[in-house]
Amino acid sequence: MPSAAIDPAITLTSAPGKVLVVGGYLVLDRNHTGLVVGTDACLYSTVQTRELDLSNAARTFSSTEIPVTVTSPQFESAWWKYAFDLKTNALVQYDSADQGSNGFVQVVLQTTLALVNTRSPGVLQSLLEQRASSPRRAGLKILLTADNDFYSQRETLEKAGVPLTSQSLRRIPVMSKTGKTLGNVHKTGLGSSAAMVTSLVASILVHFGIVDQSDLSVDREQRLAAPKSLQLIHNIAQYAHCLAQGKVGSGFDVSAAVYGSHVYRRFTPAVLDAAMSESSRISEVVQATSVDNRGWNSEVNPVVIPPRLTLRLADVDTGSNTPSMVKKVLQWQNANSDQAAALWAALDAANNRIGQIWSQLVEAHTDDRCDYDRAIDWCSKHPSFEWRSAVDTTGSPAHALLADLVDGIGKVRQLQRELGENAGVPIEPPKQTRLLDACMSVPGVCMAAVPGAGGYDAIFCVVLSPEAGDAVERLWSKWDEMSVGPLLAKQASSGVSVLNPALYPYLTAMLE
């Protein structure tokens, strides 16, 4: 893309979606880890300082309040208007499209603006000092948008009379309108709330200079040089996401939105205890989210999918109730502690093996690229059940690792099914087993499984070539036991980033 000067009045940030490749259920426990992959499908937050017309405001603004308008144009009736009081650090919603509220947005604004006002009081005060003719006042206009993959496009394609294929999805305009309200849209499980919270927190912190925009560069080396900026965004986003949900979850989805692809070990929930009430004092929130708070003991070890391996995702048109599934698994674990401990240990070892093989494949590519490419080329043309028997013939270390990867994901799936059967939860139900086995029989497919907590709503595959990806998609299109549709998203290593708004004119146009 061409370079252009960044308009200082507009801040644009993005945060990726996530796929928990292995580690479902175990990632809730700090004794275990999960391997989470960030996607190139992102949520975007655009913040602009501008004069807002308050002539139709349903309230009178005091001299210490700034107006904030939030719009999510991909949804029906999705705008909310707020007033933030610099004197009390209180945020109130005074209007919306349907008189409803958006709990996640409201919590993020309340938390992040209060922290900005506490850490650097002058930056928000300057908005009050900007001259504007009544009834106009300087405030914030915020735009929240998402790549299409976060929401099911099935209905759009059905109305257009076109097949559910990648080719059809590519013809849909970027950030297309869903035709649904936010509460009625069908999500695809990429972690939209965590990505939205993270992008919104980051955009506000950057907009007011709490975080330098260069610290969120898409350049990996620059990001590694600014760990405290990412840590601050992480801490605030985790806190806001937990407060909006009303509970402290594992946090892997927010962590993926901040850091991108990595092996994740959760933080100890007690770090947020003092701040988890909506009546918590701002001093408690400042302390809880501080980068100097040693209670933030989560671990993030960056990973990349090995060269020439590509993540492919599918949305399955059958829903699962993830909170109910998690509850049942934890109930079984508590009631069968010895059996569960043994199964957890076996799953943890199998999960860790996947990350180890990925790292070994990256090393194999570095050590002997010719051998690596030969192995990928051969395996791309053969189904995975033939790979192990051919290792002795090829004598290729990379080939052996690819066979190990097939065995490894098979072991993970076996143990997930065992856990599901024990807990009475459909982690990999028979319908999904048949679909995944069929995917693994396609030449060039090295991994296929249900992500996260499992269930009926999604699967992922990892393929060795574009041809293998196309073949998998053809299998999905002909699958008659369930409706399986592709997503366009693939893996991406980077996390939350600052973007140049001049390169996204369709977003800046939405601000008008």
Side-chain angles (χ1 to χ4, degrees), residues 67-80:
V68 181
T69 297
V70 179
T71 306
S72 192
Q74 288 167 275
F75 302 103
E76 300 294 319
S77 304
W79 57 261
W80 305 269

Side-chain angles (χ1 to χ4, degrees), residues 55 66 82 137 206 320 332 377 421 458:
S55 57
I66 60 172
Y82 306 91
R137 181 178 292 208
V206 171
S320 300
W332 174 82
D377 291 341
E421 289 163 6

Side-chain angles (χ1 to χ4, degrees), residues 5-329:
I6 293 180
D7 183 347
I10 299 178
T11 300
L12 171 61
T13 60
S14 67
K18 55 72 186 172
V19 179
L20 186 62
V21 173
V22 292
Y25 301 101
L26 274 70
V27 77
L28 293 164
D29 185 340
R30 182 163 161 75
N31 291 317
H32 306 290
T33 60
L35 194 166
V36 59
V37 173
T39 69
D40 57 3
C42 294
L43 262 289
Y44 303 84
S45 176
T46 310
V47 180
Q48 182 181 36
T49 299
R50 63 186 293 173
E51 288 185 9
L52 298 176
D53 185 355
L54 303 180
S55 57
N56 295 318
R59 71 191 304 276
T60 301
F61 277 69
S62 75
S63 61
T64 58
E65 289 180 323
I66 60 172
V68 181
T69 297
V70 179
T71 306
S72 192
Q74 288 167 275
F75 302 103
E76 300 294 319
S77 304
W79 57 261
W80 305 269
K81 295 184 177 182
Y82 306 91
F84 180 73
D85 194 324
L86 274 64
K87 184 176 180 180
T88 63
N89 278 325
L91 180 88
V92 294
Q93 177 182 310
Y94 68 87
D95 200 4
S96 70
D98 58 2
Q99 302 310 306
S101 61
N102 185 322
F104 282 93
V105 168
Q106 191 156 344
V107 166
V108 173
L109 291 177
Q110 169 67 72
T111 301
T112 314
L113 290 173
L115 287 169
V116 168
N117 195 38
T118 302
R119 291 173 64 107
S120 186
V123 294
L124 290 177
Q125 181 67 33
S126 66
L127 293 180
L128 296 177
E129 295 167 359
Q130 291 185 25
R131 295 182 180 179
S133 355
S134 182
R136 304 181 73 81
R137 181 178 292 208
L140 299 177
K141 179 145 187 194
I142 298 174
L143 186 73
L144 300 175
T145 51
D147 286 322
N148 291 337
D149 263 359
F150 283 91
Y151 314 112
S152 175
Q153 304 299 319
R154 291 172 180 274
E155 193 171 320
T156 299
L157 298 182
E158 286 170 3
K159 287 180 178 178
V162 296
L164 184 56
T165 63
S166 294
Q167 188 175 16
S168 299
L169 291 172
R170 292 188 186 97
R171 294 193 183 114
I172 299 176
V174 295
M175 301 179 191
S176 175
K177 290 184 181 296
T178 64
K180 305 282 187 181
T181 63
L182 187 56
N184 292 328
V185 73
H186 179 113
K187 297 182 180 181
T188 58
L190 292 181
S192 57
S193 64
M196 184 280 290
V197 166
T198 301
S199 64
L200 183 53
V201 167
S203 64
I204 294 172
L205 294 180
V206 171
H207 195 71
F208 290 110
I210 304 300
V211 168
D212 192 286
Q213 64 182 16
S214 64
D215 293 349
L216 302 187
S217 165
V218 293
D219 180 80
R220 190 176 183 85
E221 295 304 316
Q222 276 190 270
R223 296 169 68 84
L224 292 175
K228 286 196 171 183
S229 291
L230 290 174
Q231 183 71 52
L232 179 63
I233 293 168
H234 169 270
N235 295 359
I236 297 173
Q238 290 282 18
Y239 166 69
H241 196 249
C242 291
L243 190 61
Q245 289 187 124
K247 63 177 183 179
V248 180
S250 70
F252 81 87
D253 44 4
V254 169
S255 190
V258 175
Y259 295 106
S261 302
H262 61 278
V263 174
Y264 173 75
R265 188 184 303 276
R266 70 159 305 151
F267 57 89
T268 303
V271 69
L272 292 177
D273 282 353
M276 274 298 287
S277 166
E278 291 189 10
S279 61
S280 297
R281 297 187 300 274
I282 185 61
S283 59
E284 293 171 320
V285 178
V286 169
Q287 169 60 27
T289 58
S290 170
V291 296
D292 297 321
N293 184 344
R294 294 185 179 180
W296 289 104
N297 54 2
S298 55
E299 296 175 16
V300 173
N301 294 303
V303 297
V304 293
I305 291 184
R308 298 184 63 184
L309 275 63
T310 303
L311 180 71
R312 295 297 301 265
L313 304 173
D315 170 36
V316 181
D317 195 22
T318 309
S320 300
N321 187 335
T322 299
S324 173
M325 291 170 65
V326 172
K327 182 179 179 181
K328 287 183 178 178
V329 168

Side-chain angles (χ1 to χ4, degrees), residues 355-413:
Q356 292 166 1
I357 296 170
W358 279 15
S359 297
Q360 289 169 337
L361 281 166
V362 171
E363 292 173 6
H365 177 265
T366 302
D367 293 342
D368 190 341
R369 182 164 181 174
C370 289
D371 174 71
Y372 185 92
D373 285 340
R374 279 194 302 270
I376 294 285
D377 291 341
W378 191 94
C379 292
S380 295
K381 297 177 175 64
H382 297 81
S384 62
F385 58 78
E386 295 180 1
W387 297 1
R388 175 64 67 191
S389 60
V391 169
D392 290 340
T393 303
T394 63
S396 163
H399 189 143
L401 287 170
L402 290 169
D404 288 346
L405 186 56
V406 171
D407 294 343
I409 197 62
K411 183 65 173 178
V412 170
R413 288 179 54 201

